[in-house]
Amino acid sequence: MLRPDFPGGRSAACVQHDAAAARLGAERRRLFIANALLPLFALLLPYLTGTWETLWFTLAATLLPLWLRTLAFLLIMHAALALVMLPLSYYGGYVLAHAFGLSRQTPRAWVVDWLKGALLGTLLGTLVGGAFVWIVISFGAAWWWVFGLLVSVLMVVLVFVTPYVLVPLFFKMRPLADEPTVERIRALVGRAGTPVRDVCSLDFSRRTAEANAAVIGLGRSRRVVIADTLLAEFTPGEVDAVVAHELGHHVHRDVQRLLLGNSVLMWLGLALAARLAPAALPVLSLPSLDYVPGYPVLLAVTEFFFLLASPVLNWWSRQLESAADHFALQLTRDPGAFAGAMERMGCQNLIEHRPPRWAEVLLATHPALHRRIALANAWAAPSPSVRGLIKG
C-alpha cells in the first residue's frame, strides 16, 4: 500500500510544487544548452582570432622549456574557460537554486565551492592535456591507444579515490551515528551481497535543501553515504528504498559498466580521430596534433563528439537506473516506501513529475519520476503475473 500521506501516489504539498518544478526544469534545460554551446565558442573563437597563438608565442619568448610552456598554456586556457563559464555557473548554482528555495549557501560559501571545483578541473585538464601532447610527440601513430589507456586508468582511479579526496573537498563525511539506521542499512547491504566499508552521513543541509544518497567508491573504498537532509525528512522505509536503489548499481556492477562504456566510446572516438586526422587537420587549420595552440580546437571537437553521443549514453543510463529501481523493490519488498521516497524526492528536490518527452529522451539520465512511481504501484499489484513481468 502507498503511504497514507501520499493519497493516490501524490501529496497535496507535492502537487503544489509541480508548477515550480516545471519552471525550474525548463530553466535548467535552457541552461544546459548554454553550458553546452558556450565552451565551444570560448575554445574556438580565440583560435580563429589568433589569441591562442599569441599566448603561445608570448610564452615562447620567456625561454621556458617546452614542457613547462605547454603546461603554462594549458593552465591558462583551462583557467580562462572556467572564468568564461563562471556567470552560467553562478546563475545555475546560486541564483536559480536560491530563487527556487533549494540553496542555503551564502555568496561566500558558493564562491569557495566554485573555486575548489574550478581549481580541480583546471589542474586535471592541464595534466590530461599535457599528457596528450607528450604522448602524441613520443608515440607517433600509436598515440590514440596509449592516450586512451591512460584516460581509462585515470577514470578508475578517480572513482576509487572519490571517498578519500573528491567528496571531502565539498562535504563533511562522518560515520553515521544513528545506530538503528546503521543496523538497517547494514542488513540491506548483507541481503544485497555487496560489502561496503562504512555507512556515512554528508552535511548537505549546510548547502542545500535537496536530499540524496549514494554508494561511492570501488572495492575497499566503497561506502554508503546518506545526506543529512534525507535522514531528516524521509521515513526509515523511504531511506531504505533510496539506499537499496544505490546498492543495486553496485550489485549490477553499473559503475564498472559505465566506466567500460565511456572508455569504449572514448576509444572509438580516438580511433576515428587517428584515422581522420590527416584529412581533418587542414580543415581545422591545424598543422599537427601536437601543435599546442591548436589544442583548444581539439578539445572543442571532443566536447562536441560527446555532446552528440550524450542521448545514447543517457538512454543507457536510464536502463541502468530502471534496473536499480527493480532491484530496490525486490530487496525491500516495500513498494509503498519506494513510491513515497520517489514522491518526496521529487517534492524536496523540485524534480519534474512528468517532463516533456523529448527532454526525457535526449537529456534525462533517470526515468521520469511518474514512471518510477508507476513501477512501484504496478509492483504492488496483487496479480503474480503482473509482478513476474515487472521483475523480468
Side-chain angles (χ1 to χ4, degrees):
M1 295 293 291
L2 294 180
R3 286 175 44 79
D5 54 338
F6 288 109
R10 309 303 319 283
S11 71
C14 285
V15 169
Q16 293 175 359
H17 281 73
D18 283 355
R23 292 197 305 272
L24 178 59
E27 195 65 23
R28 281 175 169 170
R29 285 188 285 274
R30 288 190 285 268
L31 191 61
F32 170 84
I33 294 172
N35 276 307
L37 296 180
L38 183 57
L40 301 181
F41 287 108
L43 291 167
L44 293 175
L45 188 60
Y47 185 75
L48 295 174
T49 59
T51 304
W52 293 135
E53 289 183 322
T54 300
L55 172 61
W56 178 244
F57 294 138
T58 300
L59 290 170
T62 64
L63 302 179
L64 293 171
L66 177 61
W67 69 270
L68 196 53
R69 292 202 308 266
T70 300
L71 290 180
F73 176 89
L74 294 171
L75 187 69
I76 294 170
M77 183 206 74
H78 281 286
L81 184 60
L83 288 174
V84 168
M85 299 302 295
L86 174 58
L88 289 180
S89 299
Y90 177 72
Y91 176 71
Y94 185 84
V95 175
L96 201 59
H98 272 275
F100 285 88
L102 295 178
S103 178
R104 295 170 177 167
Q105 283 190 299
T106 64
R108 177 191 175 98
W110 185 90
V111 169
V112 169
D113 274 358
W114 179 84
L115 283 173
K116 290 178 184 178
L119 289 172
L120 181 63
T122 298
L123 178 61
L124 285 175
T126 299
L127 294 177
V128 171
F132 172 81
V133 174
W134 175 75
I135 287 171
V136 170
I137 294 173
S138 302
F139 291 89
W143 69 268
W144 66 274
W145 66 264
V146 177
F147 182 70
L149 183 63
L150 172 68
V151 175
S152 296
V153 172
L154 179 61
M155 287 193 295
V156 175
V157 170
L158 287 176
V159 172
F160 182 84
V161 303
T162 291
Y164 303 114
V165 179
L166 301 183
V167 171
L169 277 176
F170 300 96
F171 298 99
K172 292 180 180 178
M173 185 170 64
R174 299 187 178 94
L176 187 58
D178 184 353
E179 284 301 325
T181 300
V182 172
E183 290 177 7
R184 283 199 339 270
I185 300 305
R186 288 287 186 187
L188 275 178
V189 168
R191 296 206 305 273
T194 178
V196 298
R197 179 161 184 164
D198 210 346
V199 179
C200 301
S201 65
L202 298 179
D203 59 338
F204 265 45
S205 58
R206 287 196 307 119
R207 288 174 168 80
T208 180
E210 297 181 72
N212 214 333
V215 179
I216 59 176
L218 280 175
R220 290 178 176 270
S221 75
R222 188 183 292 138
R223 288 165 169 80
V224 174
V225 291
I226 309 174
D228 56 0
T229 48
L230 187 84
L231 293 168
E233 301 293 338
F234 286 51
T235 68
E238 291 167 353
V239 172
D240 291 355
V242 176
V243 172
H245 168 93
E246 299 300 328
L247 289 171
H249 285 307
H250 285 260
V251 170
H252 297 157
R253 299 188 180 276
D254 288 346
V255 175
Q256 294 89 327
R257 292 163 73 184
L258 284 171
L259 285 171
L260 179 62
N262 280 282
S263 293
V264 168
L265 180 63
M266 177 190 65
W267 280 58
L268 288 174
L270 289 172
L272 185 64
R275 186 173 183 84
L276 297 180
L281 288 175
V283 176
L284 297 173
S285 299
L286 298 179
S288 64
L289 284 173
D290 59 356
Y291 183 56
V292 177
Y295 180 80
V297 178
L298 301 180
L299 184 58
V301 171
T302 302
E303 293 203 2
F304 186 66
F305 171 77
F306 278 98
L307 180 63
L308 292 179
S310 61
V312 176
L313 293 174
N314 291 340
W315 170 83
W316 189 29
S317 175
R318 290 195 299 274
Q319 308 314 303
L320 300 182
E321 295 294 339
S322 181
D325 284 348
H326 281 82
F327 179 86
L329 288 165
Q330 294 172 28
L331 185 66
T332 62
R333 301 283 171 175
D334 191 347
F338 183 91
M342 294 299 103
E343 189 67 63
R344 201 180 299 277
M345 190 84 72
C347 185
Q348 189 158 333
N349 297 1
L350 281 186
I351 301 171
E352 285 181 281
H353 196 261
R354 194 180 293 266
R357 181 59 178 158
W358 67 266
E360 183 183 358
V361 170
L362 295 179
L363 306 177
T365 58
H366 290 63
L369 197 61
H370 75 276
R371 299 182 193 280
R372 305 179 76 179
I373 295 170
L375 172 68
N377 293 340
W379 201 93
S383 169
S385 61
V386 171
R387 184 173 297 179
L389 179 62
I390 293 170
K391 288 181 181 179

